[in-house]
Amino acid sequence: ALAPALERLAAAHRGRLRVATLLIDRAPLIAEQFGVAASPTLLAFEHGERLAQAVGFLPEGLLQLLADELLQGAVAGDQL
C-alpha cells in the first residue's frame, strides 16, 4: 500500500516535505482542478507551483529518490 510508504517519507523529511492525501471519489472537484483522473496520482508542489506529477504506484525506494531530487531542486516540470 502507498499510504504507509508516504507516511514514512513524510517522517523522514519532517519540516522539509509535507505529504497530503485526497480521496478523489470524495473530492471530485479538487481532483478535476488538478487534472487527476487515476489513482494513485502523486503531485509535487513548491509555493503553489506544480513541479512534478506521477501516475500509478511507485515503490518506496523510488518515492525516496524522487523526494530527495525534489528537495535538491533536481526535478522541475517533469512527469515522474
Side-chain angles (χ1 to χ4, degrees), residues 23-44:
L23 299 174
I24 62 173
D25 57 333
R26 293 189 182 171
L29 295 178
I30 295 172
E32 183 180 329
Q33 176 184 353
F34 291 103
V36 175
S39 181
T41 296
L42 302 173
L43 303 173

Side-chain angles (χ1 to χ4, degrees), residues 3-80:
L6 290 174
E7 290 171 9
R8 286 189 291 274
L9 187 68
H13 296 286
R14 183 166 283 123
R16 299 179 358 169
L17 178 75
R18 185 178 309 159
V19 175
T21 60
L22 175 75
L23 299 174
I24 62 173
D25 57 333
R26 293 189 182 171
L29 295 178
I30 295 172
E32 183 180 329
Q33 176 184 353
F34 291 103
V36 175
S39 181
T41 296
L42 302 173
L43 303 173
F45 294 89
E46 182 175 31
H47 304 293
E49 179 184 344
R50 186 183 311 195
L51 298 178
Q53 175 175 335
V55 178
F57 180 79
L58 298 175
E60 189 166 354
L62 185 53
L63 287 171
Q64 182 62 52
L65 177 67
L66 293 172
D68 291 343
E69 289 180 354
L70 285 163
L71 290 168
Q72 295 172 10
V75 176
D78 292 340
Q79 291 286 333
L80 302 177

